[in-house]
Amino acid sequence: MTSDQEPKWDAVAQAMRENAINMDTLIAETRRMPPQDMTAVDDLKSYQKYAQAHVDGLNNLIASFATLYDAMPDDQKRIADDVFRTSERERSPAPVVYGPFFPFFPFFPFFPFFPYFPFSR
């Protein structure tokens, strides 16, 4: 890391912290309603909030990471590209299916409502 990249790395780290705080807040809000009191519509609305938080977090991270990536020399960009490609290849080829909506909602390992959804098992 060069001295001119340090503030850009700090921005990436800050984006990750903000995303974690936002997700923690959402999880805490979701847990306020007991699962047995949630309807199927409540479950879907809850998922919608998680999906939106995920998209917002990605937008936040992409903005800061793109600035950092653009400032990287070509050798660092190649390393970053390889890291991202490798992490994709190392993922499980057969993801765990959480419920009937899995083809549409594959990006959360934690679904607070699916254990209570009648079609999830």
Side-chain angles (χ1 to χ4, degrees):
M1 171 173 50
T2 63
S3 59
D4 66 316
Q5 288 177 337
E6 191 170 346
K8 293 171 179 68
W9 276 109
D10 291 343
V12 170
Q14 183 60 34
M16 294 172 76
R17 282 187 212 99
E18 290 169 3
N19 293 348
I21 289 168
N22 291 340
M23 191 59 73
D24 288 346
T25 302
L26 181 58
I27 290 169
E29 289 172 1
T30 302
R31 289 185 177 165
R32 279 192 223 141
M33 180 183 282
Q36 62 272 19
D37 294 344
M38 293 180 77
T39 67
V41 172
D42 292 333
D43 283 347
L44 291 172
K45 287 180 180 180
S46 177
Y47 183 79
Q48 181 182 34
K49 289 178 186 178
Y50 278 90
Q52 188 62 56
H54 183 74
V55 169
D56 293 344
L58 279 173
N59 287 335
N60 187 27
L61 183 60
I62 288 168
S64 60
F65 186 76
T67 301
L68 171 64
Y69 185 85
D70 290 343
M72 290 179 178
D74 289 342
D75 60 330
Q76 280 186 325
K77 287 179 180 179
R78 278 191 295 277
I79 292 169
D81 294 342
D82 287 344
V83 167
F84 277 78
R85 275 189 218 109
T86 301
S87 65
E88 181 66 31
R89 280 194 307 267
E90 291 176 356
R91 290 189 186 138
S92 172
V96 176
V97 175
Y98 291 96
F101 304 106
F102 178 76
F104 306 106
F105 308 135
F107 42 79
F108 285 114
F110 173 69
F111 297 97
F113 50 88
F114 269 124
Y116 312 103
F117 198 75
F119 303 111
S120 65
R121 299 188 190 221

